[in-house]
Amino acid sequence: MFVGLVFPTDDQADLSVTGVAADGSTRWAVRTNPSCVGYGVTSVSGTAAAVVLASDADNREGKIATRTTANAYDVRDGSRLWGPSPVPGPMLGPGLIFGQATPSIVGGAQGERVMLAAHSGAPVPPPAEDAVPLYEHHGTGLFGRNGTVTAVDTATGAVLWDSGTLQAPPGFGDGPRDVELLDAATASTGDVVALRWTRPDGDTGETALHELGSGRLIAALGDQPELRTTVDRKTRTVVTSGLDQYRTARAFDIGTGTELWRDDDGVGSLEITLVHEGTGYGTRAGRSVAVDVRTGDTLSDGDWPVPVAGASDVLLAPLPPVPGATPSERTAGNGPGYVAYGRH
């Protein structure tokens, strides 16, 4: 199932979060206030779900929200799984983290953040009073406090690990350390998170990939402040692009940490933005490419649109904008059209 947004039009004031099957048929739609443009996906006790915000804001009358809630819907048919759960503001992410980053039309105290449990929508108590929600994925949450990262099971509140007991990157050694979630929006994804290891009084640090649920060290990446991580669940492979100032890409087996391949031959920067069923899609030197995530071999390259999502044997890619198309005031935020391709 593909999940996405249908923006308001001149004759439709609501924003819709919509489920579209791999055959292109629309299966369900949840209408909400246009101020609630953020949505997320999660797993509710094994069921894939879309988490949609609702509020009592009214853009037309300039009314700000006095109540914002999160609601989870089964992606198969749009039925509600939990909610409404009060939240202090829009979805900040990664995962089910809500709050106020900047003043907006959605109400709530600026700076307040809350993590919701994927199975119920209930607020997750932090492991310490001043711990800050950092990351959530399918029922596992990370909190940060004073240079320590702690992972919890959001269903039970049980602590799974904290960074004080994790294996450090090779060569980092013993002694005091500060560990934080790497401050790069694309660095962590799914069950793989990028942690930044530094000394309390040091000027440099090291970045490492860790398994979310156990904290196990997958790969040490050196002093890398920016990177993009993509994960293939089918082959248990993680591909990391953007290393060495966007000159290098590396792939690792998640289970063993073995480096499967490295791309740094200078032909052009390889950046993988989507991995699906063993194939990575992205760009190299301005051309679209598809590579085998286990070997790094190029399977195809050309000028075709790079897919942004995959389901079953279908890949979804954005269409180029229509020449001369002029959006109205109501459709200025509308996204591109899409085309679905059969995967061979």
Side-chain angles (χ1 to χ4, degrees):
M1 188 71 69
F2 297 107
V3 179
L5 295 172
V6 177
F7 285 86
T9 62
D10 291 329
D11 55 2
Q12 174 55 257
D14 291 332
L15 177 81
S16 294
V17 180
T18 303
V20 178
D23 63 4
S25 61
T26 298
R27 298 294 178 85
W28 54 268
V30 175
R31 291 185 177 181
T32 188
N33 190 290
S35 64
C36 298
V37 66
Y39 75 95
V41 292
T42 190
S43 177
V44 179
S45 302
T47 299
V51 178
V52 181
L53 290 176
S55 81
D56 57 358
D58 191 331
N59 292 353
R60 294 164 297 185
E61 298 181 3
K63 177 185 176 183
I64 65 172
T66 60
R67 176 178 168 82
T68 304
T69 62
N71 307 266
Y73 299 90
D74 190 323
V75 300
R76 297 169 299 183
D77 57 15
S79 58
R80 193 192 305 263
L81 297 174
W82 53 252
S85 297
V87 292
M91 178 174 283
L92 301 178
L96 302 185
I97 298 175
F98 304 82
Q100 285 287 7
T102 57
S104 74
I105 196 169
V106 180
Q110 184 175 356
E112 184 182 3
R113 295 165 68 95
V114 65
M115 180 187 296
L116 296 186
H119 78 291
S120 66
V124 179
E129 184 177 352
D130 54 349
V132 177
L134 302 175
Y135 188 89
E136 189 280 336
H137 178 69
H138 293 188
T140 301
L142 297 184
F143 289 84
R145 177 179 179 269
N146 296 334
T148 299
V149 175
T150 302
V152 302
D153 181 330
T154 66
T156 65
V159 172
L160 302 174
W161 54 265
D162 74 72
S163 56
T165 61
L166 291 186
Q167 178 186 353
F172 194 81
D174 298 325
R177 80 274 296 269
D178 287 336
V179 181
E180 299 176 335
L181 185 71
L182 184 63
D183 186 19
T186 60
S188 301
T189 184
D191 291 322
V192 176
V193 292
L195 299 182
R196 186 73 172 166
W197 294 70
T198 58
R199 297 294 187 194
D201 54 356
D203 296 328
T204 62
E206 295 191 36
T207 297
L209 300 180
H210 293 258
E211 190 173 50
L212 174 63
S214 65
R216 178 177 55 84
L217 177 67
I218 298 172
L221 302 175
D223 186 10
Q224 300 290 336
E226 293 285 340
L227 52 101
R228 176 187 291 273
T229 301
T230 50
V231 171
D232 182 37
R233 291 179 295 176
K234 180 179 180 180
T235 63
R236 295 281 291 162
T237 303
V238 54
V239 180
T240 304
S241 310
L243 303 173
D244 302 326
Q245 297 181 338
Y246 299 93
R247 293 192 295 266
T248 303
R250 301 170 68 186
F252 302 92
D253 183 286
I254 293 175
T256 65
T258 302
E259 181 175 282
L260 301 174
W261 53 267
R262 174 191 293 250
D263 186 293
D264 57 359
D265 57 11
V267 176
S269 172
L270 173 66
E271 182 172 14
I272 300 299
T273 54
L274 173 71
V275 176
H276 180 63
E277 300 289 324
T279 302
Y281 301 91
T283 58
R284 178 193 281 119
R287 291 178 63 81
S288 303
V289 294
V291 302
D292 186 316
V293 298
R294 298 295 292 184
T295 65
D297 294 338
T298 299
L299 304 176
S300 177
D301 73 337
D303 296 326
W304 32 269
V306 177
V308 295
S312 301
D313 289 326
V314 174
L315 295 170
L316 199 65
L319 290 169
V322 177
T326 303
S328 69
E329 292 182 359
R330 293 285 289 280
T331 60
N334 213 341
Y338 290 88
V339 60
Y341 295 102
R343 182 174 176 272
H344 301 292

